[in-house]
Amino acid sequence: MRPHGSSLDLGLIGNCSISALIDAQARIVWYCLPRFDGDPVFHALLADPPSWPANGSWTIEIEDFERSEQSYDEGTAILRTRLIGRNGDAIEVVDFAPRFFSRNRPFRPAVLIRRVHPVRGHPRIRISMRPMADWGRVVPQITRGGHHLRYCGPAGTLRLTTDAPITYIEAEIWFSLGGPLNMLLGPDETVERGVAEVAREFEEQTAHYWRSWTRALALPLEWQAAVIRAAITLKMCLFEETGAIVAAMTTSIPEAPDSQRNWDYRYCWLRDAFFVVRALNSLSEVGTMEDYLRWLHNVVREAAGGHIQPLYGIGLEKTLPEVQLDHLRGYRGMGPVRVGNQAQEHFQHDVYGNVILGAAQSFHDRRLFRRADAGDFALLEAVGERAWATHDQPDAGMWELRTRARVHTSSALMSWAACDRLAKIAVALALPERALLWRARADTIRERVLREAWSERRQAFAESLGGNDLDASVLLMAEVGFIDPRDPRFIATVDALEASLCDGPYMRRYEAADDFGKPETAFNICAFWRIDALVRIGRREQARAIFEAMLAVRNPLGLLSEDTDPRSGELWGNFPQTYSMVGVINAAVRLSAPWDSVI
């Protein structure tokens, strides 16, 4: 079981414009501005603070704290934390980022709202507001007004508007909480109405938005709460202004203790975004896909038939230079802290398949406000030409190996998927000559992969053409329709992967050492790929057991990071990881009993 009190016992709040991470004691420990990939106003998650309150956090404490309880309001992104003192006094902190429709468009301001209520007794509290700038190197200058504090840093000014005593907040003084209080942290703008009125109205409208959004999901019969939480989390990873979907909200949470495997995931990987879109589509939530396709269209147009990076900034930035911040100790003191990601320089040839897979539904789905057309197909054909040209060329692979290039099976597989989907799109558009061309290319790639990726020595499909090492990514062969899952070669591959890569329900990415040695922790999405494969080959009960085990290692709020320690069940890696939350949805949809079994 995962140990109680893990540092990734965090809740995510957000509104598709900003997001924040809040720990089990209602401390905001991560919050970036002006976007998910910006400078953290609150960075305590990476500062390894020795005591609280800490710089780079927003803390609300109850005197003589004993324990806490935390949960989301059902079907929403509104988080409630109850802090209970040793004498029985209790308070409740309500955290959210406003999101609702106003004047027929989404209202998602860069504002965090915190509401504090006395619940029992005569609690005394302390509010410590310690924003920082320039990754914790600059302490903002504080000025005060009648009902606000202003925090002025080199990149701008934040304003905390509140009906709490300003003096107590500024001096971090303990005081008695005689009634509800409200705090709005946002741009340096005047709040025109009373802060309590605004906070109450925004909470009500935000709750209504999320419950209406959840109500429209086509849920499986079983595991509905887990699916809803995963879906809301994925939605919050959408930067709606541009349509980009980040892989995670954090940087530099190590994949394993003291491993140096610390990366910045606050960018849009085309691979991860495709899987997010596909998972939400399976719940009949197509709005995220429509937003993402806006972003993807810009990527494809800019590439003009040339190289496409595996990731971009959420504002379409191509250059994301990777730098190391040595003044921060890092998560639990396990640096380094890195900003930017060198992987934007990589050649990862699976990206072309992921682009086309991400866009394919838009040619077939009549629900969309704008269905793709022949002009869009012409743009995607240019991407397909790149897939065809690179399908047999060495690359860094989907695991972004920095010092080793091979013809990776997963990259060739996605090149096949690109050609296969283009053939199907051409049929839908009544373009028979193009359909024949892309079908012939798909068949050529498929025949070569089946022949050269198969390892007689391992009796399994290997991680590279002509190779012998095993890699969990070959499980995607069944998921993207490349092979009949009942094919004896695929079944043998599942057996071989279970023998070599699995620790009980957990699954590692690959067996060969990489730039940092052999992986120590299990990669959560691989366990979900395994579940999918087991269901497809008829081992449903085994798949259900693994799924229940993976649900058990989620944090208390139902969220997953990238990796799990197979010995302790502790979560590691960037958080919350979209790949992992995608796995929850996919497994539940595939494993659930049908609705007509109960109605």
Side-chain angles (χ1 to χ4, degrees), residues 98-267:
R99 177 174 175 82
F100 49 88
F101 284 97
S102 177
R103 299 175 182 175
N104 295 317
R105 64 177 183 267
F107 178 71
R108 38 175 166 73
V111 173
L112 296 180
I113 296 182
R114 313 199 77 182
R115 309 189 70 199
V116 186
H117 311 271
V119 174
R120 187 170 56 246
H122 302 281
R124 277 166 46 88
I125 69 169
R126 179 170 66 174
I127 300 172
S128 303
M129 177 76 173
R130 298 188 184 182
M132 303 290 285
D134 192 20
W135 289 88
R137 285 179 285 225
V138 176
V139 178
Q141 179 183 357
I142 302 176
T143 60
R144 60 179 293 166
H147 297 284
H148 68 263
L149 291 170
R150 300 169 75 244
Y151 301 87
C152 307
T157 298
L158 280 173
R159 179 184 294 219
L160 177 68
T161 304
T162 181
D163 51 13
I166 294 292
T167 297
Y168 294 160
I169 296 178
E170 186 176 13
E172 299 184 354
I173 297 293
W174 290 96
F175 66 96
S176 296
L177 182 65
L181 60 83
N182 304 272
M183 294 173 282
L184 280 68
L185 179 66
D188 187 22
E189 301 170 354
T190 301
V191 177
E192 298 294 341
R193 295 179 289 153
V195 63
E197 178 187 356
V198 171
R200 181 176 59 254
E201 177 187 328
F202 281 13
E203 181 183 345
E204 291 172 354
Q205 294 200 54
T206 299
H208 177 73
Y209 165 81
W210 284 113
R211 287 177 177 138
S212 298
W213 184 85
T214 300
R215 184 173 181 267
L217 298 177
L219 296 173
L221 174 62
E222 299 180 85
W223 303 292
Q224 291 184 38
V227 170
I228 288 171
R229 185 51 46 205
I232 291 173
T233 303
L234 294 180
K235 185 69 172 181
M236 285 192 283
C237 291
L238 166 71
F239 187 68
E240 194 169 41
E241 178 186 330
T242 66
I245 300 169
V246 294
M249 289 298 181
T250 59
T251 179
S252 303
I253 309 298
E255 295 176 13
D258 296 309
S259 64
Q260 304 288 304
R261 299 173 185 267
N262 300 21
W263 316 113
D264 191 349
Y265 277 11
R266 301 171 304 149
Y267 308 112

Side-chain angles (χ1 to χ4, degrees), residues 383-442:
V383 178
E385 291 291 348
R386 290 289 298 179
W388 170 247
T390 61
H391 77 271
D392 57 356
Q393 300 301 303
D395 71 345
M398 72 181 301
W399 304 127
E400 301 177 343
L401 303 174
R402 297 188 171 208
T403 60
R404 185 177 71 206
R406 298 177 180 174
V407 181
H408 288 91
T409 303
S410 57
S411 296
L413 170 66
M414 288 302 171
S415 294
W416 168 84
C419 298
D420 175 77
R421 288 349 186 239
L422 285 172
K424 292 175 179 177
I425 294 168
V427 170
L429 294 176
L431 300 170
E433 292 183 2
R434 306 310 295 168
L436 287 172
L437 170 71
W438 290 111
R439 177 54 55 209
R441 288 178 171 181

Side-chain angles (χ1 to χ4, degrees), residues 277-293:
V277 164
R278 189 179 188 189
L280 290 176
N281 286 349
S282 74
L283 304 178
S284 294
E285 200 284 317
V286 297
T288 301
M289 178 178 68
E290 291 181 300
D291 286 322
Y292 174 65
L293 288 176

Side-chain angles (χ1 to χ4, degrees), residues 11 13 29 47 72 112 163 184 239-240 262 301 309 387 406 437 444 481 495 502 504 513-514 563 596:
I13 61 170
V29 297
Y72 284 105
L112 296 180
D163 51 13
L184 280 68
F239 187 68
E240 194 169 41
N262 300 21
R301 287 290 295 270
Q309 298 175 189
R406 298 177 180 174
L437 170 71
T444 298
D495 291 338
C502 292
D514 60 20
D563 306 270
D596 61 12

Side-chain angles (χ1 to χ4, degrees), residues 287-502:
T288 301
M289 178 178 68
E290 291 181 300
D291 286 322
Y292 174 65
L293 288 176
R294 289 190 287 110
W295 185 87
L296 187 63
H297 184 81
N298 285 308
V299 170
V300 172
R301 287 290 295 270
E302 180 67 21
H307 169 64
I308 294 179
Q309 298 175 189
L311 71 151
Y312 294 82
I314 58 180
L316 294 169
E317 295 85 0
K318 291 182 178 180
T319 303
L320 304 169
E322 184 174 297
V323 298
Q324 190 166 306
L325 305 180
D326 294 329
H327 68 283
L328 292 175
R329 294 192 62 212
Y331 177 78
R332 297 193 193 178
M334 298 177 189
V337 173
R338 293 186 174 101
V339 179
N341 199 302
Q342 183 202 336
Q344 55 92 15
E345 302 173 2
H346 290 182
F347 286 81
Q348 296 175 25
H349 299 150
D350 67 321
V351 68
Y352 305 109
N354 288 308
V355 168
I356 292 171
L357 285 168
Q361 184 168 335
S362 63
F363 290 88
H364 305 283
D365 195 330
R366 294 183 177 274
R367 295 171 296 175
L368 304 183
F369 287 130
R370 180 190 176 278
R371 290 179 64 195
D373 56 23
D376 298 300
F377 179 63
L379 288 174
L380 286 188
E381 282 199 296
V383 178
E385 291 291 348
R386 290 289 298 179
W388 170 247
T390 61
H391 77 271
D392 57 356
Q393 300 301 303
D395 71 345
M398 72 181 301
W399 304 127
E400 301 177 343
L401 303 174
R402 297 188 171 208
T403 60
R404 185 177 71 206
R406 298 177 180 174
V407 181
H408 288 91
T409 303
S410 57
S411 296
L413 170 66
M414 288 302 171
S415 294
W416 168 84
C419 298
D420 175 77
R421 288 349 186 239
L422 285 172
K424 292 175 179 177
I425 294 168
V427 170
L429 294 176
L431 300 170
E433 292 183 2
R434 306 310 295 168
L436 287 172
L437 170 71
W438 290 111
R439 177 54 55 209
R441 288 178 171 181
D443 290 345
T444 298
I445 297 173
R446 182 175 185 274
E447 188 276 333
R448 182 170 184 181
V449 171
L450 289 175
R451 182 181 68 251
E452 297 186 28
W454 177 256
S455 168
E456 281 293 332
R457 180 164 71 83
R458 302 301 297 272
Q459 286 296 291
F461 289 111
E463 51 82 39
S464 60
L465 303 194
N468 288 295
D469 292 331
L470 299 185
D471 185 316
S473 63
V474 300
L475 293 174
L476 291 172
M477 285 181 166
E479 185 167 336
V480 301
F482 176 84
I483 194 170
D484 184 337
R486 302 295 181 122
D487 187 305
R489 291 168 296 181
F490 186 74
I491 294 173
T493 298
V494 173
D495 291 338
L497 292 174
E498 289 191 322
S500 297
L501 297 182
C502 292

